[in-house]
PDB file of all heavy atoms in Angstrom:
ATOM      1  N   ASP A  36     187.247  96.957  32.976  1.00 97.00           N
ATOM      2  CA  ASP A  36     188.166  97.010  31.714  1.00 97.00           C
ATOM      3  C   ASP A  36     189.450  96.693  32.193  1.00 97.00           C
ATOM      4  O   ASP A  36     190.121  97.447  32.998  1.00 97.00           O
ATOM      5  CB  ASP A  36     188.151  98.427  31.195  1.00 97.00           C
ATOM      6  CG  ASP A  36     188.998  98.596  29.837  1.00 97.00           C
ATOM      7  OD1 ASP A  36     190.118  98.047  29.737  1.00 97.00           O
ATOM      8  OD2 ASP A  36     188.524  99.084  28.811  1.00 97.00           O
ATOM      9  N   ARG A  37     189.956  95.526  31.978  1.00 98.00           N
ATOM     10  CA  ARG A  37     191.190  94.890  32.480  1.00 98.00           C
ATOM     11  C   ARG A  37     192.406  95.612  31.943  1.00 98.00           C
ATOM     12  O   ARG A  37     193.391  95.878  32.882  1.00 98.00           O
ATOM     13  CB  ARG A  37     191.252  93.431  32.075  1.00 98.00           C
ATOM     14  CG  ARG A  37     190.064  92.593  32.404  1.00 98.00           C
ATOM     15  CD  ARG A  37     190.373  91.240  32.405  1.00 98.00           C
ATOM     16  NE  ARG A  37     191.275  90.782  33.503  1.00 98.00           N
ATOM     17  CZ  ARG A  37     190.800  90.500  34.766  1.00 98.00           C
ATOM     18  NH1 ARG A  37     189.466  90.502  35.032  1.00 98.00           N
ATOM     19  NH2 ARG A  37     191.634  90.151  35.715  1.00 98.00           N
ATOM     20  N   ASP A  38     192.383  96.238  30.816  1.00 98.00           N
ATOM     21  CA  ASP A  38     193.528  97.009  30.298  1.00 98.00           C
ATOM     22  C   ASP A  38     193.678  98.228  31.056  1.00 98.00           C
ATOM     23  O   ASP A  38     194.771  98.701  31.498  1.00 98.00           O
ATOM     24  CB  ASP A  38     193.452  97.098  28.864  1.00 98.00           C
ATOM     25  CG  ASP A  38     193.590  95.886  27.922  1.00 98.00           C
ATOM     26  OD1 ASP A  38     194.500  95.102  28.261  1.00 98.00           O
ATOM     27  OD2 ASP A  38     192.782  95.655  27.075  1.00 98.00           O
ATOM     28  N   LEU A  39     192.600  98.901  31.293  1.00 98.00           N
ATOM     29  CA  LEU A  39     192.748 100.121  31.888  1.00 98.00           C
ATOM     30  C   LEU A  39     193.027  99.992  33.423  1.00 98.00           C
ATOM     31  O   LEU A  39     193.639 100.878  33.896  1.00 98.00           O
ATOM     32  CB  LEU A  39     191.304 101.087  31.785  1.00 98.00           C
ATOM     33  CG  LEU A  39     191.013 101.525  30.342  1.00 98.00           C
ATOM     34  CD1 LEU A  39     189.534 102.189  30.410  1.00 98.00           C
ATOM     35  CD2 LEU A  39     192.027 102.472  29.902  1.00 98.00           C
ATOM     36  N   ALA A  40     192.459  99.059  33.983  1.00 98.00           N
ATOM     37  CA  ALA A  40     192.758  98.649  35.408  1.00 98.00           C
ATOM     38  C   ALA A  40     194.385  98.374  35.591  1.00 98.00           C
ATOM     39  O   ALA A  40     194.856  98.905  36.507  1.00 98.00           O
ATOM     40  CB  ALA A  40     192.072  97.530  35.950  1.00 98.00           C
ATOM     41  N   ALA A  41     194.824  97.682  34.582  1.00 98.00           N
ATOM     42  CA  ALA A  41     196.239  97.373  34.665  1.00 98.00           C
ATOM     43  C   ALA A  41     197.067  98.610  34.491  1.00 98.00           C
ATOM     44  O   ALA A  41     198.154  98.831  35.183  1.00 98.00           O
ATOM     45  CB  ALA A  41     196.642  96.309  33.566  1.00 98.00           C
ATOM     46  N   LEU A  42     196.670  99.517  33.597  1.00 98.00           N
ATOM     47  CA  LEU A  42     197.381 100.741  33.348  1.00 98.00           C
ATOM     48  C   LEU A  42     197.312 101.657  34.657  1.00 98.00           C
ATOM     49  O   LEU A  42     198.410 102.232  35.016  1.00 98.00           O
ATOM     50  CB  LEU A  42     196.657 101.595  32.263  1.00 98.00           C
ATOM     51  CG  LEU A  42     197.225 102.963  31.972  1.00 98.00           C
ATOM     52  CD1 LEU A  42     198.671 102.917  31.558  1.00 98.00           C
ATOM     53  CD2 LEU A  42     196.410 103.603  30.846  1.00 98.00           C
ATOM     54  N   SER A  43     196.225 101.680  35.334  1.00 98.00           N
ATOM     55  CA  SER A  43     196.050 102.455  36.558  1.00 98.00           C
ATOM     56  C   SER A  43     196.984 101.941  37.637  1.00 98.00           C
ATOM     57  O   SER A  43     197.540 102.672  38.503  1.00 98.00           O
ATOM     58  CB  SER A  43     194.625 102.583  37.106  1.00 98.00           C
ATOM     59  OG  SER A  43     194.113 101.316  37.505  1.00 98.00           O
ATOM     60  N   ILE A  44     197.100 100.557  37.736  1.00 98.00           N
ATOM     61  CA  ILE A  44     198.012 100.023  38.737  1.00 98.00           C
ATOM     62  C   ILE A  44     199.416 100.415  38.384  1.00 98.00           C
ATOM     63  O   ILE A  44     200.168 100.550  39.285  1.00 98.00           O
ATOM     64  CB  ILE A  44     197.873  98.453  38.799  1.00 98.00           C
ATOM     65  CG1 ILE A  44     196.403  98.107  39.373  1.00 98.00           C
ATOM     66  CG2 ILE A  44     198.836  97.835  39.629  1.00 98.00           C
ATOM     67  CD1 ILE A  44     196.063  96.623  39.253  1.00 98.00           C
ATOM     68  N   LYS A  45     199.869 100.290  37.137  1.00 98.00           N
ATOM     69  CA  LYS A  45     201.225 100.710  36.796  1.00 98.00           C
ATOM     70  C   LYS A  45     201.516 102.140  37.048  1.00 98.00           C
ATOM     71  O   LYS A  45     202.526 102.433  37.650  1.00 98.00           O
ATOM     72  CB  LYS A  45     201.443 100.365  35.375  1.00 98.00           C
ATOM     73  CG  LYS A  45     202.862 100.724  34.924  1.00 98.00           C
ATOM     74  CD  LYS A  45     203.026 100.201  33.536  1.00 98.00           C
ATOM     75  CE  LYS A  45     204.512 100.489  32.925  1.00 98.00           C
ATOM     76  NZ  LYS A  45     204.836 100.065  31.676  1.00 98.00           N
ATOM     77  N   GLN A  46     200.514 103.027  36.649  1.00 98.00           N
ATOM     78  CA  GLN A  46     200.684 104.337  36.915  1.00 98.00           C
ATOM     79  C   GLN A  46     200.802 104.833  38.292  1.00 98.00           C
ATOM     80  O   GLN A  46     201.535 105.701  38.680  1.00 98.00           O
ATOM     81  CB  GLN A  46     199.534 105.171  36.296  1.00 98.00           C
ATOM     82  CG  GLN A  46     199.767 106.750  36.233  1.00 98.00           C
ATOM     83  CD  GLN A  46     198.608 107.325  35.603  1.00 98.00           C
ATOM     84  OE1 GLN A  46     197.987 106.843  34.514  1.00 98.00           O
ATOM     85  NE2 GLN A  46     198.226 108.610  35.876  1.00 98.00           N
ATOM     86  N   SER A  47     200.040 103.988  39.264  1.00 97.00           N
ATOM     87  CA  SER A  47     200.072 104.436  40.683  1.00 97.00           C
ATOM     88  C   SER A  47     201.151 103.789  41.383  1.00 97.00           C
ATOM     89  O   SER A  47     201.111 103.708  42.647  1.00 97.00           O
ATOM     90  CB  SER A  47     198.659 103.971  41.150  1.00 97.00           C
ATOM     91  OG  SER A  47     198.466 102.605  41.223  1.00 97.00           O
ATOM     92  N   ARG A  48     202.042 102.962  40.686  1.00 97.00           N
ATOM     93  CA  ARG A  48     203.059 102.133  41.416  1.00 97.00           C
ATOM     94  C   ARG A  48     202.667 101.160  42.352  1.00 97.00           C
ATOM     95  O   ARG A  48     203.278 100.838  43.281  1.00 97.00           O
ATOM     96  CB  ARG A  48     204.109 103.181  42.156  1.00 97.00           C
ATOM     97  CG  ARG A  48     204.820 104.275  41.216  1.00 97.00           C
ATOM     98  CD  ARG A  48     205.489 105.172  42.236  1.00 97.00           C
ATOM     99  NE  ARG A  48     206.724 104.577  42.885  1.00 97.00           N
ATOM    100  CZ  ARG A  48     207.350 105.016  43.789  1.00 97.00           C
ATOM    101  NH1 ARG A  48     206.965 106.218  44.288  1.00 97.00           N
ATOM    102  NH2 ARG A  48     208.397 104.400  44.243  1.00 97.00           N
ATOM    103  N   GLY A  49     201.434 100.749  42.127  1.00 97.00           N
ATOM    104  CA  GLY A  49     200.889  99.634  42.941  1.00 97.00           C
ATOM    105  C   GLY A  49     200.076 100.100  44.177  1.00 97.00           C
ATOM    106  O   GLY A  49     199.499  99.228  44.836  1.00 97.00           O
ATOM    107  N   ASP A  50     199.859 101.440  44.223  1.00 97.00           N
ATOM    108  CA  ASP A  50     199.031 101.988  45.263  1.00 97.00           C
ATOM    109  C   ASP A  50     197.591 101.675  44.782  1.00 97.00           C
ATOM    110  O   ASP A  50     196.984 102.475  43.903  1.00 97.00           O
ATOM    111  CB  ASP A  50     199.321 103.505  45.345  1.00 97.00           C
ATOM    112  CG  ASP A  50     198.404 104.044  46.573  1.00 97.00           C
ATOM    113  OD1 ASP A  50     197.345 103.590  46.882  1.00 97.00           O
ATOM    114  OD2 ASP A  50     198.943 105.095  47.160  1.00 97.00           O
ATOM    115  N   MET A  51     196.984 100.721  45.407  1.00 97.00           N
ATOM    116  CA  MET A  51     195.669 100.301  44.974  1.00 97.00           C
ATOM    117  C   MET A  51     194.546 101.466  45.064  1.00 97.00           C
ATOM    118  O   MET A  51     193.673 101.562  44.118  1.00 97.00           O
ATOM    119  CB  MET A  51     195.075  99.113  45.732  1.00 97.00           C
ATOM    120  CG  MET A  51     195.970  97.930  45.724  1.00 97.00           C
ATOM    121  SD  MET A  51     196.248  97.468  44.006  1.00 97.00           S
ATOM    122  CE  MET A  51     194.714  96.788  43.624  1.00 97.00           C
ATOM    123  N   ILE A  52     194.415 102.329  46.050  1.00 97.00           N
ATOM    124  CA  ILE A  52     193.512 103.259  46.155  1.00 97.00           C
ATOM    125  C   ILE A  52     193.696 104.359  45.096  1.00 97.00           C
ATOM    126  O   ILE A  52     192.814 104.914  44.672  1.00 97.00           O
ATOM    127  CB  ILE A  52     193.476 103.773  47.627  1.00 97.00           C
ATOM    128  CG1 ILE A  52     192.862 102.687  48.620  1.00 97.00           C
ATOM    129  CG2 ILE A  52     192.580 105.051  47.672  1.00 97.00           C
ATOM    130  CD1 ILE A  52     192.763 103.095  50.020  1.00 97.00           C
ATOM    131  N   GLU A  53     194.931 104.679  44.891  1.00 97.00           N
ATOM    132  CA  GLU A  53     195.278 105.663  43.809  1.00 97.00           C
ATOM    133  C   GLU A  53     194.897 105.116  42.521  1.00 97.00           C
ATOM    134  O   GLU A  53     194.315 105.817  41.668  1.00 97.00           O
ATOM    135  CB  GLU A  53     196.799 105.911  43.816  1.00 97.00           C
ATOM    136  CG  GLU A  53     197.354 106.855  42.769  1.00 97.00           C
ATOM    137  CD  GLU A  53     196.744 108.266  42.930  1.00 97.00           C
ATOM    138  OE1 GLU A  53     196.359 108.720  44.096  1.00 97.00           O
ATOM    139  OE2 GLU A  53     196.899 109.140  42.010  1.00 97.00           O
ATOM    140  N   ALA A  54     195.139 103.867  42.281  1.00 98.00           N
ATOM    141  CA  ALA A  54     194.615 103.157  41.084  1.00 98.00           C
ATOM    142  C   ALA A  54     193.106 103.340  40.955  1.00 98.00           C
ATOM    143  O   ALA A  54     192.642 103.490  39.727  1.00 98.00           O
ATOM    144  CB  ALA A  54     195.083 101.784  40.987  1.00 98.00           C
ATOM    145  N   ILE A  55     192.440 103.015  41.903  1.00 98.00           N
ATOM    146  CA  ILE A  55     190.987 103.006  41.924  1.00 98.00           C
ATOM    147  C   ILE A  55     190.577 104.419  41.683  1.00 98.00           C
ATOM    148  O   ILE A  55     189.595 104.722  40.834  1.00 98.00           O
ATOM    149  CB  ILE A  55     190.390 102.527  43.199  1.00 98.00           C
ATOM    150  CG1 ILE A  55     190.735 100.958  43.360  1.00 98.00           C
ATOM    151  CG2 ILE A  55     188.829 102.908  43.427  1.00 98.00           C
ATOM    152  CD1 ILE A  55     190.519 100.489  44.836  1.00 98.00           C
ATOM    153  N   PHE A  56     191.168 105.358  42.204  1.00 97.00           N
ATOM    154  CA  PHE A  56     190.846 106.835  41.966  1.00 97.00           C
ATOM    155  C   PHE A  56     191.156 107.197  40.561  1.00 97.00           C
ATOM    156  O   PHE A  56     190.239 107.964  39.853  1.00 97.00           O
ATOM    157  CB  PHE A  56     191.862 107.673  42.972  1.00 97.00           C
ATOM    158  CG  PHE A  56     191.293 109.058  43.130  1.00 97.00           C
ATOM    159  CD1 PHE A  56     191.734 109.794  44.231  1.00 97.00           C
ATOM    160  CD2 PHE A  56     190.387 109.687  42.231  1.00 97.00           C
ATOM    161  CE1 PHE A  56     191.356 111.128  44.587  1.00 97.00           C
ATOM    162  CE2 PHE A  56     190.016 111.043  42.538  1.00 97.00           C
ATOM    163  CZ  PHE A  56     190.462 111.625  43.656  1.00 97.00           C
ATOM    164  N   LEU A  57     192.139 106.744  39.915  1.00 98.00           N
ATOM    165  CA  LEU A  57     192.426 107.039  38.468  1.00 98.00           C
ATOM    166  C   LEU A  57     191.435 106.377  37.600  1.00 98.00           C
ATOM    167  O   LEU A  57     190.820 107.020  36.690  1.00 98.00           O
ATOM    168  CB  LEU A  57     193.808 106.447  38.167  1.00 98.00           C
ATOM    169  CG  LEU A  57     195.005 107.183  38.591  1.00 98.00           C
ATOM    170  CD1 LEU A  57     196.310 106.310  38.363  1.00 98.00           C
ATOM    171  CD2 LEU A  57     195.190 108.550  38.047  1.00 98.00           C
ATOM    172  N   LEU A  58     190.971 105.206  37.950  1.00 98.00           N
ATOM    173  CA  LEU A  58     189.976 104.532  37.032  1.00 98.00           C
ATOM    174  C   LEU A  58     188.653 105.166  37.321  1.00 98.00           C
ATOM    175  O   LEU A  58     187.859 105.469  36.277  1.00 98.00           O
ATOM    176  CB  LEU A  58     189.861 103.018  37.392  1.00 98.00           C
ATOM    177  CG  LEU A  58     189.180 102.193  36.477  1.00 98.00           C
ATOM    178  CD1 LEU A  58     190.002 102.155  34.997  1.00 98.00           C
ATOM    179  CD2 LEU A  58     189.056 100.773  36.854  1.00 98.00           C
ATOM    180  N   ARG A  59     188.342 105.559  38.444  1.00 96.00           N
ATOM    181  CA  ARG A  59     186.978 106.271  38.707  1.00 96.00           C
ATOM    182  C   ARG A  59     187.054 107.582  38.022  1.00 96.00           C
ATOM    183  O   ARG A  59     185.811 107.949  37.545  1.00 96.00           O
ATOM    184  CB  ARG A  59     186.795 106.411  40.229  1.00 96.00           C
ATOM    185  CG  ARG A  59     185.415 106.917  40.808  1.00 96.00           C
ATOM    186  CD  ARG A  59     184.502 105.822  41.008  1.00 96.00           C
ATOM    187  NE  ARG A  59     184.829 104.820  42.074  1.00 96.00           N
ATOM    188  CZ  ARG A  59     184.635 105.172  43.491  1.00 96.00           C
ATOM    189  NH1 ARG A  59     184.055 106.170  43.721  1.00 96.00           N
ATOM    190  NH2 ARG A  59     185.051 104.274  44.398  1.00 96.00           N
ATOM    191  N   ALA A  60     188.050 108.237  37.988  1.00 96.00           N
ATOM    192  CA  ALA A  60     188.119 109.606  37.394  1.00 96.00           C
ATOM    193  C   ALA A  60     187.905 109.378  35.883  1.00 96.00           C
ATOM    194  O   ALA A  60     187.240 110.225  35.186  1.00 96.00           O
ATOM    195  CB  ALA A  60     189.429 110.343  37.658  1.00 96.00           C
ATOM    196  N   TYR A  61     188.609 108.375  35.357  1.00 97.00           N
ATOM    197  CA  TYR A  61     188.427 108.162  33.838  1.00 97.00           C
ATOM    198  C   TYR A  61     187.092 107.796  33.501  1.00 97.00           C
ATOM    199  O   TYR A  61     186.382 108.194  32.475  1.00 97.00           O
ATOM    200  CB  TYR A  61     189.401 107.016  33.509  1.00 97.00           C
ATOM    201  CG  TYR A  61     189.295 106.780  31.950  1.00 97.00           C
ATOM    202  CD1 TYR A  61     189.853 107.569  31.014  1.00 97.00           C
ATOM    203  CD2 TYR A  61     188.544 105.570  31.556  1.00 97.00           C
ATOM    204  CE1 TYR A  61     189.765 107.178  29.571  1.00 97.00           C
ATOM    205  CE2 TYR A  61     188.465 105.314  30.204  1.00 97.00           C
ATOM    206  CZ  TYR A  61     189.021 106.140  29.307  1.00 97.00           C
ATOM    207  OH  TYR A  61     188.969 105.834  27.914  1.00 97.00           O
ATOM    208  N   ARG A  62     186.379 107.040  34.350  1.00 96.00           N
ATOM    209  CA  ARG A  62     184.955 106.609  34.155  1.00 96.00           C
ATOM    210  C   ARG A  62     184.013 107.772  33.927  1.00 96.00           C
ATOM    211  O   ARG A  62     182.965 107.688  33.161  1.00 96.00           O
ATOM    212  CB  ARG A  62     184.579 105.665  35.314  1.00 96.00           C
ATOM    213  CG  ARG A  62     183.066 105.195  35.261  1.00 96.00           C
ATOM    214  CD  ARG A  62     182.894 104.414  36.504  1.00 96.00           C
ATOM    215  NE  ARG A  62     181.438 103.665  36.465  1.00 96.00           N
ATOM    216  CZ  ARG A  62     180.335 104.232  36.696  1.00 96.00           C
ATOM    217  NH1 ARG A  62     180.376 105.616  37.216  1.00 96.00           N
ATOM    218  NH2 ARG A  62     179.218 103.686  36.734  1.00 96.00           N
ATOM    219  N   THR A  63     184.333 108.812  34.648  1.00 94.00           N
ATOM    220  CA  THR A  63     183.289 109.988  34.623  1.00 94.00           C
ATOM    221  C   THR A  63     183.452 110.672  33.240  1.00 94.00           C
ATOM    222  O   THR A  63     182.611 111.521  32.946  1.00 94.00           O
ATOM    223  CB  THR A  63     183.680 111.075  35.672  1.00 94.00           C
ATOM    224  OG1 THR A  63     185.064 111.601  35.394  1.00 94.00           O
ATOM    225  CG2 THR A  63     183.666 110.427  37.058  1.00 94.00           C
ATOM    226  N   THR A  64     184.519 110.398  32.460  1.00 95.00           N
ATOM    227  CA  THR A  64     184.556 111.029  31.114  1.00 95.00           C
ATOM    228  C   THR A  64     183.835 110.231  30.050  1.00 95.00           C
ATOM    229  O   THR A  64     183.813 110.627  28.887  1.00 95.00           O
ATOM    230  CB  THR A  64     186.122 111.209  30.658  1.00 95.00           C
ATOM    231  OG1 THR A  64     186.675 109.869  30.489  1.00 95.00           O
ATOM    232  CG2 THR A  64     186.905 111.840  31.845  1.00 95.00           C
ATOM    233  N   LEU A  65     183.373 108.953  30.262  1.00 94.00           N
ATOM    234  CA  LEU A  65     182.809 108.173  29.144  1.00 94.00           C
ATOM    235  C   LEU A  65     181.387 108.508  28.996  1.00 94.00           C
ATOM    236  O   LEU A  65     180.770 108.767  30.042  1.00 94.00           O
ATOM    237  CB  LEU A  65     182.972 106.696  29.777  1.00 94.00           C
ATOM    238  CG  LEU A  65     184.333 106.166  29.988  1.00 94.00           C
ATOM    239  CD1 LEU A  65     184.397 104.828  30.480  1.00 94.00           C
ATOM    240  CD2 LEU A  65     185.255 106.264  28.795  1.00 94.00           C
ATOM    241  N   PRO A  66     180.978 108.423  27.812  1.00 92.00           N
ATOM    242  CA  PRO A  66     179.569 108.753  27.452  1.00 92.00           C
ATOM    243  C   PRO A  66     178.706 107.547  27.956  1.00 92.00           C
ATOM    244  O   PRO A  66     179.199 106.348  27.962  1.00 92.00           O
ATOM    245  CB  PRO A  66     179.656 108.857  25.945  1.00 92.00           C
ATOM    246  CG  PRO A  66     180.757 108.045  25.539  1.00 92.00           C
ATOM    247  CD  PRO A  66     181.798 108.193  26.540  1.00 92.00           C
ATOM    248  N   ARG A  67     177.405 107.776  28.193  1.00 88.00           N
ATOM    249  CA  ARG A  67     176.503 106.803  28.606  1.00 88.00           C
ATOM    250  C   ARG A  67     175.501 106.463  27.439  1.00 88.00           C
ATOM    251  O   ARG A  67     174.880 107.351  27.000  1.00 88.00           O
ATOM    252  CB  ARG A  67     175.679 107.155  29.832  1.00 88.00           C
ATOM    253  CG  ARG A  67     174.763 106.049  30.417  1.00 88.00           C
ATOM    254  CD  ARG A  67     173.907 106.655  31.541  1.00 88.00           C
ATOM    255  NE  ARG A  67     174.822 107.255  32.500  1.00 88.00           N
ATOM    256  CZ  ARG A  67     175.104 106.431  33.608  1.00 88.00           C
ATOM    257  NH1 ARG A  67     174.500 105.290  33.828  1.00 88.00           N
ATOM    258  NH2 ARG A  67     175.831 106.988  34.733  1.00 88.00           N
ATOM    259  N   PHE A  68     175.582 105.347  26.701  1.00 85.00           N
ATOM    260  CA  PHE A  68     174.920 105.028  25.626  1.00 85.00           C
ATOM    261  C   PHE A  68     173.732 104.033  25.807  1.00 85.00           C
ATOM    262  O   PHE A  68     172.895 103.834  24.916  1.00 85.00           O
ATOM    263  CB  PHE A  68     175.674 104.579  24.468  1.00 85.00           C
ATOM    264  CG  PHE A  68     176.426 103.219  24.698  1.00 85.00           C
ATOM    265  CD1 PHE A  68     175.740 101.993  24.436  1.00 85.00           C
ATOM    266  CD2 PHE A  68     177.638 103.207  25.271  1.00 85.00           C
ATOM    267  CE1 PHE A  68     176.344 100.743  24.772  1.00 85.00           C
ATOM    268  CE2 PHE A  68     178.242 101.881  25.556  1.00 85.00           C
ATOM    269  CZ  PHE A  68     177.706 100.783  25.204  1.00 85.00           C
ATOM    270  N   GLY A  69     173.581 103.688  26.998  1.00 85.00           N
ATOM    271  CA  GLY A  69     172.447 102.626  27.337  1.00 85.00           C
ATOM    272  C   GLY A  69     172.657 101.919  28.567  1.00 85.00           C
ATOM    273  O   GLY A  69     173.528 102.263  29.338  1.00 85.00           O
ATOM    274  N   TYR A  70     171.680 101.110  29.074  1.00 87.00           N
ATOM    275  CA  TYR A  70     171.661 100.401  30.144  1.00 87.00           C
ATOM    276  C   TYR A  70     171.558  98.893  29.779  1.00 87.00           C
ATOM    277  O   TYR A  70     170.774  98.656  28.906  1.00 87.00           O
ATOM    278  CB  TYR A  70     170.466 100.847  31.178  1.00 87.00           C
ATOM    279  CG  TYR A  70     170.590 102.162  31.693  1.00 87.00           C
ATOM    280  CD1 TYR A  70     170.040 103.257  31.093  1.00 87.00           C
ATOM    281  CD2 TYR A  70     171.208 102.372  32.960  1.00 87.00           C
ATOM    282  CE1 TYR A  70     170.185 104.577  31.624  1.00 87.00           C
ATOM    283  CE2 TYR A  70     171.308 103.539  33.526  1.00 87.00           C
ATOM    284  CZ  TYR A  70     170.747 104.681  32.817  1.00 87.00           C
ATOM    285  OH  TYR A  70     170.811 105.915  33.515  1.00 87.00           O
ATOM    286  N   SER A  71     172.353  98.138  30.496  1.00 91.00           N
ATOM    287  CA  SER A  71     172.290  96.733  30.216  1.00 91.00           C
ATOM    288  C   SER A  71     171.015  96.158  31.126  1.00 91.00           C
ATOM    289  O   SER A  71     170.475  96.689  32.071  1.00 91.00           O
ATOM    290  CB  SER A  71     173.533  95.951  30.719  1.00 91.00           C
ATOM    291  OG  SER A  71     173.679  96.121  32.081  1.00 91.00           O
ATOM    292  N   GLN A  72     170.614  94.872  30.692  1.00 91.00           N
ATOM    293  CA  GLN A  72     169.656  94.185  31.377  1.00 91.00           C
ATOM    294  C   GLN A  72     170.244  93.590  32.695  1.00 91.00           C
ATOM    295  O   GLN A  72     171.477  93.461  32.753  1.00 91.00           O
ATOM    296  CB  GLN A  72     169.031  93.047  30.642  1.00 91.00           C
ATOM    297  CG  GLN A  72     168.386  93.489  29.323  1.00 91.00           C
ATOM    298  CD  GLN A  72     167.122  94.300  29.657  1.00 91.00           C
ATOM    299  OE1 GLN A  72     166.250  93.919  30.394  1.00 91.00           O
ATOM    300  NE2 GLN A  72     167.058  95.497  28.981  1.00 91.00           N
ATOM    301  N   PRO A  73     169.528  93.240  33.714  1.00 92.00           N
ATOM    302  CA  PRO A  73     170.008  92.639  34.946  1.00 92.00           C
ATOM    303  C   PRO A  73     170.732  91.279  34.517  1.00 92.00           C
ATOM    304  O   PRO A  73     170.192  90.531  33.613  1.00 92.00           O
ATOM    305  CB  PRO A  73     168.834  92.321  35.809  1.00 92.00           C
ATOM    306  CG  PRO A  73     167.862  93.445  35.319  1.00 92.00           C
ATOM    307  CD  PRO A  73     167.997  93.482  33.934  1.00 92.00           C
ATOM    308  N   ILE A  74     172.013  91.157  34.969  1.00 93.00           N
ATOM    309  CA  ILE A  74     172.762  90.013  34.641  1.00 93.00           C
ATOM    310  C   ILE A  74     172.100  88.759  35.328  1.00 93.00           C
ATOM    311  O   ILE A  74     171.573  88.867  36.376  1.00 93.00           O
ATOM    312  CB  ILE A  74     174.089  90.023  34.980  1.00 93.00           C
ATOM    313  CG1 ILE A  74     174.427  90.123  36.479  1.00 93.00           C
ATOM    314  CG2 ILE A  74     174.945  91.116  34.173  1.00 93.00           C
ATOM    315  CD1 ILE A  74     175.888  90.148  36.947  1.00 93.00           C
ATOM    316  N   ASN A  75     172.102  87.566  34.625  1.00 92.00           N
ATOM    317  CA  ASN A  75     171.479  86.378  35.100  1.00 92.00           C
ATOM    318  C   ASN A  75     172.547  85.441  35.704  1.00 92.00           C
ATOM    319  O   ASN A  75     173.201  84.752  34.925  1.00 92.00           O
ATOM    320  CB  ASN A  75     170.595  85.697  34.115  1.00 92.00           C
ATOM    321  CG  ASN A  75     169.844  84.569  34.606  1.00 92.00           C
ATOM    322  OD1 ASN A  75     170.049  84.236  35.869  1.00 92.00           O
ATOM    323  ND2 ASN A  75     169.079  83.793  33.824  1.00 92.00           N
ATOM    324  N   THR A  76     172.972  85.433  36.939  1.00 93.00           N
ATOM    325  CA  THR A  76     173.965  84.766  37.572  1.00 93.00           C
ATOM    326  C   THR A  76     173.500  83.308  37.751  1.00 93.00           C
ATOM    327  O   THR A  76     174.475  82.384  37.863  1.00 93.00           O
ATOM    328  CB  THR A  76     174.355  85.321  38.980  1.00 93.00           C
ATOM    329  OG1 THR A  76     173.083  85.284  39.835  1.00 93.00           O
ATOM    330  CG2 THR A  76     175.047  86.683  38.856  1.00 93.00           C
TER     331      THR A  76
END
């Protein structure tokens, strides 16, 4: 999610690991509604 990743970078003042932490924490709150098929690169 590019918007949420950008928000986490702004909130963390550019601290990449803190931004990753924020996004990972948010991810745990999301409902799981299904699984995608393997992507075909």
Side-chain angles (χ1 to χ4, degrees):
D36 190 308
R37 306 195 72 82
D38 291 313
L39 291 177
L42 176 60
S43 68
I44 291 171
K45 181 175 182 178
Q46 184 175 333
S47 65
R48 299 177 64 197
D50 184 331
M51 300 303 290
I52 293 181
E53 178 68 17
I55 291 161
F56 201 156
L57 289 169
L58 198 64
R59 189 90 64 85
Y61 178 79
R62 181 184 186 275
T63 63
T64 68
L65 300 176
R67 185 186 299 264
F68 62 86
Y70 290 89
S71 65
Q72 299 295 309
I74 60 173
N75 185 356
T76 54

